[in-house]
Amino acid sequence: MNYRSIEILTIACLAVSLFACKGPKSYKENPDFKVEKAEFGMTKEGEPVQIFTIENPNGVKVKLTTYGAMLTELHVPDRNGGFTDIVLGFDDLESYLAGHPYFGVIAGRVANRIAKGKFSLNGKDYTLATNNAPNHLHGGENGLDKKVWKAEELIGSNAVGIRFAYSSPDGEEGYPGKLDIVVTYTLTEDNSLVIEYEAVTDQATPINLTNHAYFNLAGEGSGTILNQQMQIFADHFTPVDDTLIPTGEIGPVKGTSMDFTQPMTIGSRIGKMVGDPGGYDHNYVLNKKQPGQSSLAVRVKDPSSGRVMEIYTTEPGVQFYTGNFLDGTLEGKAGNAYQKNDGFCLECQHFPDSINQPNFPSVVLNPGEKYTQTTIHKFTAE
Ligand code: BGC
């Protein structure tokens, strides 16, 4: 089967799955899909936080918490049916509250960087936190990753999910407008984790939402991801300055260490990615026939376990980040000290600093419009 037919099949399955999932909540429909809710602790402000476990009949298990609408665990099979958790993170809420590099969170209101934390919209200037000096990163000091979201369980005949909602007040973190956001994670019977985003606003505002999971297909805490084979369906990327702000060009990957149009191990040319701390931390411009159309963006394979992750997205770009800032100081799950390159992120989103870059697709949401994005992570083993 070629990529195109897999893509069509996945999108067709998704439509069926989600339709079924939107039905009334009922455990009777398919008892093999499970959802469990537990208390996860309290924020420093005394807000209770819950954690949900959802599972499909194949044993794929996902944990999601109301803190940051975060994906904290993802257990998928290898080629022999052995399950491992393939996302980096912690075992307890306290460790997340103590601060971390956006493990599994929903990042926003504007994920990625805004140059110098400044932008103008409809003749008005806005100043945001420069929490990644000199730039604004992932929505600021107290972004969506640090909010407690409302949660609703969804169970259907062939999918199970959790729908998170958060209403960001006008002016929060310096952004204009009240923004109502819904993020739904759905686990389907074909081992896909689907993340759907929706938002509406009452004033024009920039928006760019993404999930910031750090993956290691051999299992979190198992060492570096440098031997995993990456294929990114992008002929172009957005070159950046030394503060990781795009120059505005759309550059070809061909002939550079950025070229993953054919499967290559992540480590094959990573040493050539100069700078401090080096590695990949770049936005790829995905090959698309139509803007907004879901397409296969990435295929990653771990040769040791045979696990394969394919990502389909409606977004124009994907930020490929190789965990360059991990330095062994964070004790993750089961005390695993995460080192540089122990995980990779594939953040499907709009291009960095789009609000200041007239040549990039717009990230402005106006009143009366609906922001939507859908990203599918499909797991197989070979
Ligand atoms: C950024 C990195 C940053 C990381 C924070 C990524 O999305 O591109 O530069 O260090 O998030 O964890």
Side-chain angles (χ1 to χ4, degrees), residues 100-103 107 111-113 132 137-138 210-212 214 243-244 277 280-283 319-326 345 347 349 352:
H100 66 104
Y102 301 90
F103 289 146
N112 217 310
R113 290 178 174 77
N132 185 251
L137 179 69
H138 296 328
T210 195
N211 179 277
H212 204 288
Y214 288 64
T243 75
L244 298 177
Y280 295 95
D281 195 353
H282 293 81
N283 170 65
Q319 182 86 9
F320 176 39
Y321 171 58
T322 43
N324 313 322
F325 292 103
L326 297 174
C345 301
E347 306 154 46
Q349 55 181 263

Side-chain angles (χ1 to χ4, degrees), residues 14-277:
L14 170 67
V16 172
S17 304
L18 296 186
F19 176 75
C21 196
K22 289 209 171 106
K25 188 164 106 167
S26 157
Y27 288 83
K28 290 192 198 100
E29 285 186 44
N30 188 340
D32 295 332
F33 280 99
K34 295 184 191 124
V35 60
E36 262 177 38
K37 178 181 173 179
E39 295 306 316
F40 198 37
M42 290 229 196
T43 64
K44 289 173 190 148
E45 295 74 36
E47 247 186 297
V49 173
Q50 279 89 39
I51 189 154
F52 294 87
T53 307
I54 58 176
E55 194 174 332
N56 76 3
N58 311 322
V60 172
K61 198 164 81 178
V62 178
K63 284 199 179 192
L64 300 158
T65 166
T66 53
Y67 184 68
M70 206 167 24
L71 168 67
T72 60
E73 293 184 26
L74 176 53
H75 301 257
V76 297
D78 64 13
R79 65 165 77 85
N80 301 314
F83 282 81
T84 296
D85 181 6
I86 58 154
V87 293
L88 279 58
F90 303 109
D91 292 319
D92 54 80
L93 180 63
E94 290 65 37
S95 305
Y96 286 108
L97 296 175
H100 66 104
Y102 301 90
F103 289 146
V105 303
I106 296 300
R109 292 187 185 194
V110 174
N112 217 310
R113 290 178 174 77
I114 295 180
K116 310 222 162 45
K118 292 196 180 300
F119 68 94
S120 300
L121 186 57
N122 297 339
K124 207 167 154 195
D125 296 334
Y126 294 90
T127 301
L128 311 171
T130 47
N131 55 320
N132 185 251
N135 303 315
H136 178 80
L137 179 69
H138 296 328
E141 300 288 359
N142 196 10
L144 300 178
D145 58 295
K146 297 186 185 67
K147 304 297 177 189
V148 178
W149 295 55
K150 290 200 170 70
E152 184 191 350
E153 299 168 18
L154 304 168
I155 299 193
S157 55
N158 52 5
V160 59
I162 304 293
R163 179 170 291 158
F164 292 102
Y166 177 70
S167 180
S168 177
D170 180 21
E172 187 166 67
E173 283 297 308
Y175 289 99
K178 171 173 173 283
L179 187 69
D180 290 310
I181 310 162
V182 175
V183 176
T184 307
Y185 291 85
T186 306
L187 177 61
T188 66
E189 58 190 352
D190 75 340
N191 296 353
S192 292
L193 180 66
V194 182
I195 314 178
E196 292 171 289
Y197 306 71
E198 287 180 358
V200 289
T201 183
D202 63 2
Q203 281 180 51
T205 193
I207 177 169
N208 183 36
L209 303 179
T210 195
N211 179 277
H212 204 288
Y214 288 64
F215 296 96
N216 184 331
L217 296 188
E220 66 78 32
S222 69
T224 76
I225 42 78
L226 297 175
N227 284 332
Q228 299 180 17
Q229 291 161 354
M230 179 69 65
Q231 186 170 18
I232 307 181
F233 296 85
D235 295 336
H236 295 90
F237 73 111
T238 50
V240 286
D241 68 14
D242 56 8
T243 75
L244 298 177
I245 294 295
T247 58
E249 296 157 74
I250 304 283
V253 296
K254 202 171 165 59
T256 76
S257 305
M258 299 284 301
D259 188 352
F260 283 96
T261 51
Q262 298 303 315
M264 298 284 262
T265 59
I266 295 172
S268 54
R269 296 147 303 162
I270 200 168
K272 295 191 181 150
M273 300 301 294
V274 289
D276 183 21

